[in-house]
Amino acid sequence: MMSAADHANQVKVSMTHSATSFPVGLTKEEATARITAEGPNELPRARRRSPLRIVFDVLREPMLALLLAGGVVYLLLGSREEALILLAFACLSVSITVVQEARTERVLEALRDLTSPRALVIRDGQRQRIAGRDVARGDVIVLAEGDRVPADAALIEAQDLSADESLLTGEAVPVRKLAGTATEARPGGEDQPMVYSGSLIVRGTGIACVTATGAASEIGRIGTSLGLLGTETPHLQLQMRKLVVVFAAVGTAVSMAVVALYGLLRGGWLDGILAGIAVGMSMLPEEFPMVLAVFMAMGAWRISKVRVLTRRASAIETLGAASVLCTDKTGTLTENRMTIAELRLPDGTVAKVGTALPDAFRELAAAGVMASAPEPYDPMEKAFHALAKADLHPGEALPGAARQLVRSYPLSPGLLAMSQAWAAGTGWQIAAKGAPEAMAVLCRSDDATVARLTAQVDQMARSGLRVLGVASATHQGTLPDDHRDFRFRFLGLVGLADPLRASVPDAVAQCRSAGIRVIMITGDYPATAQAIATQAGLQGDRVITGPDLAAMTDAELAIAVKDIMIFARILPEQKLRIVTALKSAGCVVAMTGDGVNDAPSLKAAHIGIAMGGRGTDVAREAASIVLLDDDFGSIVTTVRLGRRIYDNLRKAMSFILAVHVPIAGLALMPLLFGLPILFGPMHIAFLEMVIDPVCSLVFEAETEEKGIMARPPRPPAEPLFSGPTIVWSLVQGLLALAVTATIFVLAPDYGLTTDQVRGMTFAALVFAIVALILVDRSQSTSILTAITRPNRALAVVLPIVVGLLTVTLFWPTARELFGFAALDPMHLAVPPLAGLTVLVVLELIKPIWRWAVQRGKAAALALPPGKQATH
């Protein structure tokens, strides 16, 4: 027996740090010098474009060069007003681009600062709380439960210290950390225990000396290695470059011919240059790259409204083509929040949590609490406390609340169990929890008992539960050094569930209806992964494990990924291999993740989706999309918006191609047929001011088409301008050209002067453009249905367009600037009638065009796979 005095002394010794010397850490001057020499403790950031660089990139655009050239020629001709207007258009384009880029960078910087950890360091012998980026190599840091380790550090002291290193290793089980005293440990020594930047302290306390910061840390090395993975150029950007090059080549050749013909035939070389610039502006679809940029920027803004940050706006275009979504389980499909779902006694009696706990299970629940920290941080230990609190009788305290925790026996590599000794009168009460097989060792179970226990564990694991065993013991005398020496009595099994996120089943169902296959890639056990997959609604019974995958060749894996939904016990490097195999199989891959181990696969995927709340900087830097609220359901909303954005982009591009046909035709007609020059750069610039806002505001704001999430993903190689789209655009443009050219040719026969003809034809063209807007708003419905769909941008833009046209026709100063003359009331009725004619004829043609497109798609699908055409 032990005396009360001896008992108290042992408690005191057990609860006291063995600090033979107290570290003083760096001085303020030393820390400042090291940060200056080695840089702050943060990951390398992608180099951002300066405002000057953005301006320089915009100045290289061909349309801007034409605007500036036109302004110079106007100055040479003495037309200062025209020159100033063209220069104002150029400055407006530059300003919009700079503002949008700066806004995106500010959002990213705010997110980075929000998630930056803070650190408790010892400097000049005093504890100070500083920003994580201000930690220097050689700093002494103080660690406690709940702290995020700010840098790689060698442990000097550790008291019952465990760290969650899942962000580095993917392993959810906390790692036990052991260290000697300051006199025994040497930071940086060969076998020195380490804690790593980004890991989370889930238990105990410690003191460590920083050995590496920023890019030199383990997490930093992974982040730096991501730079070796190239980012693919988006499909739309490649198409856009080809289109602009083709149109620019044709437009340049025609413009040079116009200048030469005008100068040789009419003798006015400066006027010929203006005419050539006008023709070049009319033929160059400079709106293509501008509209693509605006749609991506506006799309990023719309997606941010659902708490999703788009780091690379080009990823939005890929969302509509996504055919596979790879997702982690823990923390992505599940809440990463442990709750106890089931208790089992040794005789197999089961209690489901949710109702009053039977008395027979109270000892099991109490022992689970006493085997946990009094103030828990680990999710599993929090679950034990929550269960006990919910089952307290009136006036009853938590188990162990009136006792003193004397000693803890931590997990070890050879025995995955931990025990805690509590003072109980003149003796000790011991409570233990851990892996069921480890508890069988502590309880000295026979083979029959172990077999029965294994069967129960397997049954619980198939339900998606993580299973722990719980045991208790009493002890008299001096506490042993190894908890194997206690005589434990097995109390039962505890099944812990990581709840599925409420939004996941519906999100998975929507993905399935949209033709998107959801694949789970997890490091968890196959039985648990399969159970969670069933709850989430994932289809497929076959599971490929990490060892299975390691034995596969790349060719075999490329075949297997076509129908496998669940990958379990997967190592971090194997995730990248799965993504690569899916891409080689022709899939457009979206990948979710939050840890450092997810970063390579996030960057390799077509669409990397990182979790913003609990994710690492490395994961966010590698991803193209960040879920700020970590809600899996937001992915489906983002895909829906991505499809809508792509649909509207095609509408805008079809409109641009259609509207350039009459503009180019009317610019060329006078030169081909010896007629008076109709349009100059001023007129073309005005039309661009109508077309640009229409494309970037009206079409971008269009609501989604019916059944947008009930159709399969578009083929990844589908051209933005398919054959039917080009034909439909040309039909629209040629009809508008025919109507306006008829007015241009016939108007002089009715006694109109050249300036009156110019004004009437220009107004007719503007009304024809408005007609094309209304026709292209919806390609699947009639104009009547489209009108009922709200579009605030259209309600704002159309009155502005009409107002500007009214100013140019009726305000004498503007009329003179544009080379127009006053029109009689009868003549003023012609332009609206021209627009109405274009609208009615195209609406009559639209059903025929839709029928032809559907027939073409049906015929393409009937062909063998290798001969199918892209529509």
Side-chain angles (χ1 to χ4, degrees), residues 376-543:
Y377 190 84
D378 180 88
M380 288 188 288
E381 295 190 342
K382 284 184 175 181
F384 278 105
H385 277 255
L387 176 66
K389 287 179 181 178
D391 195 55
L392 288 177
H393 292 166
E396 189 178 15
L398 274 176
R403 299 181 183 181
Q404 177 112 33
L405 175 61
V406 178
R407 183 168 181 174
S408 294
Y409 296 86
L411 291 163
S412 64
L415 187 68
L416 296 178
M418 63 167 294
S419 304
Q420 296 204 137
W422 299 77
T426 58
W428 315 98
Q429 178 72 38
I430 318 299
K433 71 178 190 303
E437 59 272 21
M439 302 311 297
V441 172
L442 287 179
C443 296
R444 301 176 176 85
S445 302
D446 57 32
D447 292 343
T449 302
V450 171
R452 186 168 60 253
L453 179 66
T454 302
Q456 293 182 2
V457 171
D458 289 342
Q459 183 180 359
M460 297 173 72
R462 285 193 294 270
S463 300
L465 301 178
R466 174 172 289 181
V467 185
L468 293 178
V470 177
S472 69
T474 58
H475 185 76
Q476 299 291 330
T478 304
L479 291 173
D481 292 331
D482 192 329
H483 56 160
R484 291 182 178 87
D485 295 334
F486 293 116
R487 302 290 297 181
F488 280 105
R489 178 170 56 92
F490 185 65
L491 299 180
L493 297 173
V494 178
L496 296 107
D498 187 2
L500 194 72
R501 289 182 180 270
S503 61
V504 167
D506 181 61
V508 170
Q510 290 190 54
C511 285
R512 190 182 303 116
S513 68
I516 301 172
R517 190 159 56 100
V518 180
I519 296 177
M520 177 196 294
I521 304 175
T522 178
D524 216 330
Y525 290 97
T528 304
Q530 199 160 14
I532 294 296
T534 301
Q535 296 174 28
L538 298 181
Q539 297 176 333
D541 297 327
R542 185 183 170 195
V543 179

Side-chain angles (χ1 to χ4, degrees), residues 194-426:
M194 298 286 295
V195 288
Y196 297 100
S197 176
S199 58
L200 183 68
I201 303 301
V202 297
R203 184 182 181 89
T205 60
I207 297 176
C209 180
V210 174
T211 59
T213 62
S217 65
E218 289 296 320
I219 193 173
R221 291 193 188 107
I222 297 177
T224 302
S225 69
L226 293 179
L228 302 177
L229 289 174
T231 302
E232 298 181 7
T233 303
H235 182 58
L236 280 184
Q237 283 191 14
L238 293 175
Q239 290 191 60
M240 210 62 65
R241 290 175 187 173
K242 294 178 182 178
L243 283 172
V244 171
V245 168
V246 171
F247 277 99
V250 174
T252 300
V254 174
S255 297
M256 293 176 65
V258 166
V259 173
L261 290 174
Y262 199 103
L264 293 173
L265 298 178
R266 302 196 182 189
W269 285 99
L270 282 178
D271 289 332
I273 292 176
L274 284 177
I277 290 175
V279 171
M281 291 173 66
S282 68
M283 297 189 67
L284 181 66
E286 82 293 342
E287 299 91 354
F288 284 164
M290 184 279 297
V291 166
L292 178 61
V294 170
F295 266 60
M296 297 302 103
M298 292 293 290
W301 174 77
R302 290 189 182 279
I303 289 176
S304 71
K305 294 297 183 181
V306 294
R307 302 283 296 159
V308 178
L309 174 66
T310 307
R311 293 195 68 256
R312 285 184 282 275
S314 58
I316 298 173
E317 75 183 61
T318 318
L319 285 170
S323 57
V324 172
L325 172 58
C326 297
T327 176
D328 191 13
K329 177 184 73 67
T330 304
T332 304
L333 293 178
T334 63
E335 296 180 0
N336 199 22
R337 177 176 57 83
M338 288 291 180
T339 58
I340 294 178
E342 181 180 312
L343 302 175
R344 288 198 181 208
L345 298 179
D347 62 3
T349 306
V350 178
K352 299 290 185 181
V353 175
T355 58
L357 201 62
D359 290 339
F361 292 86
R362 290 177 62 81
E363 183 183 7
L364 172 59
V369 174
M370 295 180 68
S372 304
E375 298 293 333
Y377 190 84
D378 180 88
M380 288 188 288
E381 295 190 342
K382 284 184 175 181
F384 278 105
H385 277 255
L387 176 66
K389 287 179 181 178
D391 195 55
L392 288 177
H393 292 166
E396 189 178 15
L398 274 176
R403 299 181 183 181
Q404 177 112 33
L405 175 61
V406 178
R407 183 168 181 174
S408 294
Y409 296 86
L411 291 163
S412 64
L415 187 68
L416 296 178
M418 63 167 294
S419 304
Q420 296 204 137
W422 299 77
T426 58

Side-chain angles (χ1 to χ4, degrees), residues 712-727:
R714 72 175 192 275
E718 179 185 59
L720 187 62
F721 285 104
S722 60
T725 301
I726 294 175
V727 170

Side-chain angles (χ1 to χ4, degrees), residues 10-11 34 58-59 68 113 119 148 199 213 231 354 408 434 545-546 569 626 650 670 732 760 811 821 838 864 871:
Q10 182 164 352
V11 170
R34 291 194 180 184
V58 175
L59 289 175
L68 295 176
D113 293 341
R148 183 75 67 178
S199 58
T213 62
T231 302
S408 294
T545 64
R569 303 302 286 168
V626 179
R650 294 193 72 164
Q732 295 179 78
M760 181 186 292
W811 187 28
V838 173
H871 288 266

Side-chain angles (χ1 to χ4, degrees), residues 767-783:
F767 275 100
I769 291 174
V770 171
L772 295 181
I773 295 170
L774 299 177
V775 169
D776 284 328
R777 279 191 64 198
S778 176
Q779 297 177 352
S780 61
T781 59
S782 67
I783 184 65

